[in-house]
């Protein structure tokens, strides 16, 4: 049986933030969330999260019932943190130690570690060009791991060792209880080091297994915002790579940001500086122009989004075209082959097949049928200062430019609304409705007051 302990009690002072470190986001989600998701994928018997500073904020961010929260009152070191969780872990469990600030660790690597460990201690190590600051792995002449020495406690020759402790390890719960009881904090930092249990294990006659990874990003910890950015870029690259391998062309994989999850069909093309947030679903052959921000949206096959368009909470059906400079807000549902052009804002709009609003319009709280043309400058006046009202436009209607549709109002099938109309009452089907004053010409009138006699 497996128990997972996620260490998250560190203060994170170097983030210089009012927010607890593990709540800072990577790819749009708190880093602790990423570690929890990976932990869950291993299907452990229990997940224990050790928290300290800002614990209430951290707990509140993860209300799920499968998490056991353990408070470490004082940050006396990593061994003390694991010790805090140990009372509720049965002796026959294996304890996998993860860190809330090492967010990109992959489940596959952890499986490798667990497979190698059996019921022995095992740790995940990596070779580093510059190992400064990390615990160094000590090995016997025959290659067996004999212990870990922390950077601050290391002798000069030990500092030259480039294989370091990632901090991720698996330990058998029963013996661990014993080994932890033996530890002292007589070291450079005056802390109880979890790393010291390796030497205790060795004295106990346990073999210590080491699994080495070559993925620096997987084991990259976040102590400050520079490392946060490093981890963010690594994550973004991972996502971009997945998209490209799945048949998506990225104009520049370094200039796409996915802050959430995205699914795609093949032959999508995404230009530079696009941000996808929340849950975004793209069909096949979807093209997204540069500078678009798309959040919680579904774009069906063949959709075209021209540059600088912002989409949030919308569904775009096959072949719909939007932008440039369009803004689709929540509950927008564009039918197949529809067209939304520049400087058009939509909200709670259902637009039927083939209908279009090509320029400068606000279309909100509206149900619009098929084959409707919305002229430039059209506004659905949906709000009377107190409540929102609906505009209904039936199939085939033509709305002239600069029309105000004062809701609630209905435009009948194939009706035509003359340009400049303020439509206050329903417009009947198959007829022209014009609401502007009659045009008049004053002969001989001049702009120059002195010239007119
Ligand atoms: C630790 C390891 C070091 C390893 C490095 C990898 C020890 C003694 N050293 O060092 O060998 O190379 O990680 O990054 O384990 N934490 C608590 N409570 C505490 C102290 C720490 O929950 O009392 C948590 C921190 O929030 C963090 C993790 O444990 O998530 C590691 O702590 P940190 O202080 O960063 O350890 P390092 O000194 O970097
Ligand atoms: Ca650290």
């Amino acid at each position: 049986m497996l128990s997972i302990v996620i260490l998250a009690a560190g203060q994170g002072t170097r983030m210089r933030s009012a927010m607890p470190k593990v709540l800072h986001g990577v790819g749009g989600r708190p880093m602790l969330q990423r570690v929890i998701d990976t932990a869950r994928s291993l299907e452990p018997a229990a997940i224990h999260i050790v928290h300290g500073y800002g614990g209430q904020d951290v707990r509140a961010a993860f209300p799920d019932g499968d998490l056991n929260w353990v408070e470490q009152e004082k940050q006396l070191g990593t061994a003390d943190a694991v010790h805090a969780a140990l009372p509720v872990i049965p002796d026959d469990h294996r304890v996998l130690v993860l860190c809330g600030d090492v967010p990109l660790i992959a489940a596959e690597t952890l499986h490798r570690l667990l497979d190698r460990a059996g019921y022995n201690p095992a740790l995940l190590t990596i070779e580093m060009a510059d190992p400064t600051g990390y615990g160094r792995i000590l090995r016997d002449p025959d290659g067996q791991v004999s212990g870990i020495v922390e950077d601050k406690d290391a002798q000069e020759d030990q500092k030259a060792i480039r294989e370091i402790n990632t901090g991720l390890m698996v330990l058998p719960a029963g013996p661990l209880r014993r080994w932890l009881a033996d530890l002292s904090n007589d070291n450079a930092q005056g802390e109880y080091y979890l790393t010291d249990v390796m030497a205790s294990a060795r004295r106990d006659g346990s073999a210590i297994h080491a699994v080495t990874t070559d993925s620096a990003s997987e084991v990259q910890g976040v102590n400050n915002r520079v490392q946060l950015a490093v981890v963010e870029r690594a994550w973004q690259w991972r996502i971009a790579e997945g998209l490209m391998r799945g048949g998506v062309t990225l104009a520049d994989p370094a200039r796409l940001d996915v802050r959430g999850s995205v699914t795609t069909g093949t032959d999508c093309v995404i230009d530079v500086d696009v941000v996808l947030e929340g849950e975004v679903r793209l069909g096949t052959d979807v093209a997204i122009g540069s500078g678009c921000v798309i959040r919680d949206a579904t774009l069906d096959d063949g959709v075209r989004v021209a540059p600088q368009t912002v989409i949030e909470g919308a569904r775009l059906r096959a072949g719909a075209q939007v932008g440039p400079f369009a803004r689709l807000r929540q509950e927008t549902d564009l039918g197949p082959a529809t067209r939304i052009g520049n400087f058009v804002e939509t909200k709670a709009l259902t637009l039927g097949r083939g209908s279009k609003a090509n320029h400068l319009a606000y279309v909100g709280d509206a149900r619009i049928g098929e084959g409707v043309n919305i002229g430039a400058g059209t506004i659905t006046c949906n709000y009377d200062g107190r409540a929102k009202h609906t505009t209904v436009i039936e199939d085939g209607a033509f709305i002239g430019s600069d029309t105000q549709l004062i809701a609630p109002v209905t435009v009948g099938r194939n009706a035509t609304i003359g340009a400049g109309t303020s439509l206050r009452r329903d417009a009947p089907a198959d007829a022209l409705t014009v609401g502007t004053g009659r045009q008049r010409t004053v002969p001989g009138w001049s702009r120059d007051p002195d010239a007119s006699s």
Side-chain angles (χ1 to χ4, degrees):
M1 294 287 255
L2 178 66
S3 282
I4 296 181
V5 175
I6 302 175
L7 304 184
Q11 298 212 350
T13 359
R14 282 170 285 169
M15 294 296 282
R16 304 185 68 94
S17 175
M19 182 164 73
K21 174 163 75 174
V22 292
L23 294 187
H24 282 261
V26 171
R29 314 185 72 197
M31 47 184 146
L32 181 55
Q33 177 76 62
R34 298 208 171 276
V35 180
I36 290 170
D37 288 351
T38 305
R40 282 190 180 128
S41 77
L42 302 175
E43 300 181 342
I47 298 175
H48 308 276
I49 304 178
V50 181
H51 67 86
Y53 169 77
Q56 294 323 307
D57 295 356
V58 178
R59 285 181 72 148
F62 304 96
D64 319 66
D66 65 333
L67 304 173
N68 178 44
W69 295 89
V70 180
E71 183 166 346
Q72 184 193 17
E73 280 173 29
K74 282 194 191 138
Q75 275 71 72
L76 302 178
T78 46
D80 180 65
V82 172
H83 184 252
L86 217 51
V88 292
I89 301 177
D91 271 347
D92 61 344
H93 278 210
R94 300 193 288 166
V95 179
L96 175 65
V97 179
L98 303 179
C99 292
D101 56 2
V102 181
L104 300 192
I105 184 64
E108 197 229 327
T109 305
L110 297 174
H111 277 300
R112 263 203 308 136
L113 185 65
L114 289 164
D115 289 349
R116 187 83 182 81
Y119 195 67
N120 287 307
L123 55 144
L124 185 67
T125 74
I126 189 169
E127 293 264 348
M128 285 199 140
D130 177 11
T132 311
Y134 293 96
R136 310 297 204 284
I137 307 299
L138 306 178
R139 287 179 185 264
D140 289 342
D142 65 354
Q144 284 290 309
V145 175
S146 57
I148 304 171
V149 60
E150 289 303 295
D151 185 68
K152 291 198 172 99
D153 301 287
Q155 322 271 331
E156 276 315 306
D157 57 328
Q158 292 172 325
K159 285 197 171 168
I161 298 171
R162 296 198 301 131
E163 186 186 11
I164 62 103
N165 171 33
T166 62
L168 311 184
M169 54 182 76
V170 54
L171 300 153
L176 176 59
R177 231 181 286 281
R178 233 175 26 240
W179 299 332
L180 286 176
D182 280 354
L183 295 189
S184 95
N185 63 351
D186 181 15
N187 52 48
Q189 302 184 76
E191 285 183 11
Y192 294 94
Y193 292 162
L194 185 61
T195 46
D196 283 349
V197 302
M198 292 303 170
S200 312
R202 193 57 194 277
R203 278 196 297 276
D204 241 11
S206 267
I208 301 167
H209 298 297
V211 167
T212 302
T213 175
D214 54 11
S215 166
S217 64
E218 263 192 54
V219 298
Q220 171 76 53
V222 175
N223 294 312
N224 57 45
R225 297 193 204 221
V226 177
Q227 289 170 331
L228 183 65
V230 168
V231 164
E232 178 71 26
R233 283 307 102 203
W235 175 256
Q236 293 300 341
W237 175 258
R238 214 189 264 187
I239 298 287
E241 194 179 358
L243 290 174
M244 293 186 288
R245 291 194 192 284
V248 176
T249 295
L250 300 179
D252 180 353
R255 281 188 286 169
L256 167 68
D257 279 66
V258 177
R259 301 176 190 148
S261 64
V262 53
T263 60
T264 71
T266 52
D267 288 316
C268 293
V269 178
I270 301 180
D271 209 333
V272 299
D273 297 334
V274 168
V275 178
L276 304 179
E277 297 185 330
E279 208 174 296
V280 173
R281 275 175 291 207
L282 308 180
T284 60
D285 184 32
V286 171
I288 300 174
S290 65
C292 291
V293 179
I294 301 177
R295 164 195 283 265
D296 294 325
T298 300
L299 281 56
D300 293 351
D301 298 351
V303 164
R304 297 278 174 273
V305 183
Q308 309 295 338
T309 292
V310 177
I311 299 175
E312 177 168 6
R315 169 81 186 260
L316 285 69
R317 298 185 191 255
Q321 295 183 43
V322 275
F325 303 104
R327 179 169 183 217
L328 309 185
R329 295 166 53 205
Q330 75 274 14
E331 290 168 56
T332 291
D333 184 339
L334 303 184
T338 49
R339 173 87 182 84
I340 295 290
N342 42 225
F343 308 109
V344 174
E345 175 182 345
T346 69
K347 188 213 78 179
L349 162 69
T350 319
L351 190 64
R353 175 186 292 272
S355 291
K356 38 191 174 201
N358 272 331
H359 334 265
L360 292 169
Y362 172 68
V363 194
D365 296 300
R367 286 202 310 277
I368 299 180
E370 302 187 352
V372 170
N373 187 84
I374 307 282
T378 295
I379 293 174
T380 52
C381 308
N382 57 336
Y383 185 51
D384 60 12
R386 223 164 52 90
K388 299 283 172 73
H389 303 283
T390 302
T391 298
V392 176
I393 302 176
E394 295 176 352
D395 295 351
F398 180 97
I399 311 297
S401 296
D402 192 28
T403 293
Q404 294 117 55
L405 299 146
I406 300 168
V409 72
T410 296
V411 175
R413 233 181 130 78
N414 291 323
T416 302
I417 308 301
T421 297
S422 293
L423 194 72
R424 291 165 196 281
R425 293 189 305 274
D426 292 354
D430 301 309
L432 169 67
T433 299
V434 196
T436 50
R438 195 168 273 283
Q439 181 167 314
R440 159 174 102 98
T441 301
V442 180
W445 181 89
S446 169
R447 279 185 294 265
D448 178 356
D450 298 331
S452 57
S453 48

